[in-house]
Amino acid sequence: MRRLVRLIDPYLVLLLATVGLAAALPARSTAADAVDATATGAIALLFFLYGARLSTTEAVAGLRHWRLHLTILACTFLLYPALGLACRGLVPWLVTEELYTGLLFLCVVPSTVQSAIALTSVARGNVAAAIAAGSFSSLAGVVLTPLLAALLIGASGGFGGDSLLKIASQLLLPFLAGQLLRRWIGGFVTRHRVVLGLVDRGSILIVVYAAFSQGMNEDIWGQVSWQRLLALAGVAAVLLAVVLLLTGYGTRKLGFARADRTAILFAGSTKSLAAGLPMAGVIFEERAALAVLPLMLFHQMQLIAGAVLARRRGRAAAAGQEPGPEGGQGAADAAPDAPDAPDAAGEDDRSRR
């Protein structure tokens, strides 16, 4: 029981509590307008802080290991979207059209930073590569995630000229402003990382409350049965397992060293809740509540699976053994206690840069 409790992400509990609050007391009329305006400002603040934290210099310095970073980017923005498109055959008999849209959005979200770093460290992998890979993914995701979402989801996601302008004004411009001002405010951001991390988390809770309030006003829960939610959880679990297996076997075939394979395994298989939630709020607006359900389910799954795999790989490395491509040491290794799960929505906005 204690193992299970340690694997549950406390921040995800807060997110679920916020969803419950929105279900019980959704913002309506004038209050809804105020919440929406606050959420818009919170999203802009989030991406400004992302830009202020992200060290472009360190990211560029990491280019010397270009094969590793290209492999991680390919997993994040090519492999996952391809698998997401393959899930189209599950509609409508297993998942609804709306849930499939959220599943496809999950597949184009950038990878985590802090979770990937923590898991790579526990597994005794190439931590420096995980840090640089998270920087690349964050930089690329600000542009690639909205573009891939527009390309793959298309008109069904309500994309148009207005949507692209909102994405640019609420995501890209604040991010670029943070990057430009990093020279002057980077030290302040680093010194007050803990306080600003709380601001990040609070902002994301506002975004979640706004999205699910809109969803309640649109009666989204009348569109999704518990059977569909269970089916969605099963699809997300299979998706994660497939990516873990492909990255494990693929990196071995590509000739990467053990430490590099570990970094690719965790940086290439994880998806960022911190970046995905505010992006969904901008891209899907009133449909964001359904769109983020797959990502919220997937996030907890990746933390649990990653924690177990990281500890197994770490033990294998400490014993001088070569871990299997699936991340473990084989049947002889009983499942050990997993490490404390990394933070959820703040996992990739408190990077060590």
Side-chain angles (χ1 to χ4, degrees):
M1 185 65 181
R2 289 181 60 191
R3 293 183 184 181
L4 179 61
V5 170
R6 293 176 68 191
L7 287 172
I8 295 175
D9 189 342
Y11 194 74
L12 190 63
V13 175
L14 279 179
L15 288 173
L16 294 176
T18 303
V19 172
L21 177 63
L25 297 171
R28 303 184 188 276
S29 124
T30 305
D33 294 337
V35 169
D36 289 343
T38 304
T40 298
I43 291 171
L45 175 62
L46 274 172
F47 278 82
F48 175 80
L49 291 175
Y50 290 164
R53 288 188 184 96
L54 191 59
S55 174
T56 309
T57 302
E58 290 184 8
V60 172
L63 281 173
R64 62 181 179 272
H65 209 343
W66 61 270
R67 284 183 68 243
L68 180 144
H69 298 306
L70 282 181
T71 302
I72 293 173
L73 289 176
C75 291
T76 304
F77 297 113
L78 291 178
L79 174 60
Y80 262 113
L83 292 174
L85 290 174
C87 291
R88 178 68 193 180
L90 303 177
V91 181
W93 65 275
L94 194 58
V95 294
T96 64
E97 185 72 42
E98 292 79 10
L99 291 178
Y100 171 70
T101 297
L103 192 64
L104 202 53
F105 175 70
L106 151 70
C107 291
V108 301
V109 168
S111 63
T112 64
V113 176
Q114 195 65 26
S115 293
I117 294 169
L119 293 171
T120 301
S121 177
V122 170
R124 303 197 178 196
N126 189 338
V127 176
I131 294 173
S135 300
F136 288 139
S137 186
S138 298
L139 284 169
V142 174
V143 176
L144 287 182
T145 295
L147 290 180
L148 285 172
L151 177 64
L152 300 182
I153 300 172
S156 64
F159 288 99
D162 291 343
S163 298
L164 293 176
L165 286 176
K166 286 181 179 179
I167 290 168
S169 62
Q170 293 185 46
L171 303 182
L172 185 58
L173 289 181
F175 180 84
L176 292 176
Q179 280 279 285
L180 290 174
L181 294 176
R182 176 179 163 77
R183 176 179 177 182
W184 295 279
I185 66 174
F188 174 86
V189 170
T190 301
R191 289 192 302 273
H192 299 84
R193 184 181 353 181
V194 175
V195 174
L196 293 177
L198 295 176
V199 172
D200 288 349
R201 293 172 172 229
S203 298
I204 291 172
L205 291 177
I206 293 171
V207 172
V208 170
Y209 178 75
F212 279 87
S213 288
Q214 290 179 336
M216 289 302 299
N217 294 333
E218 297 290 330
D219 191 29
I220 63 162
W221 299 116
Q223 307 171 31
V224 184
S225 65
W226 65 268
Q227 294 95 333
R228 294 289 192 180
L229 288 176
L230 285 178
L232 175 65
V235 172
V238 171
L239 179 66
L240 177 60
V242 169
V243 173
L244 287 172
L245 286 172
L246 289 178
T247 51
Y249 282 102
T251 52
R252 182 182 290 270
K253 292 295 184 182
L254 290 172
F256 284 102
R258 185 205 64 83
D260 291 344
R261 293 204 307 272
T262 298
I264 295 172
L265 180 73
F266 293 118
S269 65
T270 54
K271 289 291 183 176
S272 172
L273 190 68
L277 286 176
M279 284 182 176
V282 176
I283 294 171
F284 297 101
E285 298 180 327
E286 68 275 4
R287 296 178 301 280
L290 280 180
V292 300
L293 276 179
L295 181 59
M296 292 178 70
L297 285 171
F298 186 88
H299 182 78
Q300 188 61 31
M301 291 178 185
Q302 73 184 14
L303 289 181
I304 294 173
V308 173
L309 292 178
R311 179 58 64 88
R312 289 187 174 185
R313 293 183 74 93
R315 286 191 173 186
Q321 300 172 1
E322 184 69 11
E326 75 286 354
Q329 292 173 244
D333 182 25
D337 288 342
D340 292 337
D343 291 338
E347 88 277 294
D348 50 348
D349 25 75
R350 296 195 314 279
S351 117
R352 304 174 185 177
R353 289 171 292 282

